[in-house]
Amino acid sequence: MSASLYVSNLPSSATEQTLAEAFAEFGTVLSVKLRRDPETGSGQGVGFVEMNTTAEARTAACKLNATRF
């Protein structure tokens, strides 16, 4: 069963690919979605990462907590 993680405090320079690469170290990343301002397109500092299993998501969350991107 897949699991979705809420990721916050991201820099505006963060991209879907940057997050996917960071989380892929801990398992299979199914999707990455960053929230963007609809008018400017700039990042809002939050997003969601969907991982293949709950165990992978837990490991990634523990290992990446407080990591700077």
Side-chain angles (χ1 to χ4, degrees):
M1 175 182 257
S2 67
S4 185
L5 297 167
Y6 173 77
V7 184
S8 62
N9 295 322
L10 295 169
S12 59
S13 61
T15 65
E16 283 86 356
Q17 182 168 343
T18 304
L19 281 180
E21 289 171 359
F23 280 81
E25 186 175 333
F26 306 101
T28 303
V29 175
L30 301 177
S31 67
V32 177
K33 303 234 188 309
L34 293 179
R35 289 197 48 148
R36 300 210 175 270
D37 182 284
E39 291 184 20
T40 66
S42 63
Q44 294 181 327
V46 298
F48 295 90
V49 176
E50 183 181 10
M51 300 199 65
N52 194 44
T53 67
T54 303
E56 291 174 348
R58 281 189 192 130
T59 300
C62 288
K63 299 288 185 178
L64 294 174
N65 188 33
T67 298
R68 290 181 181 252
F69 286 97

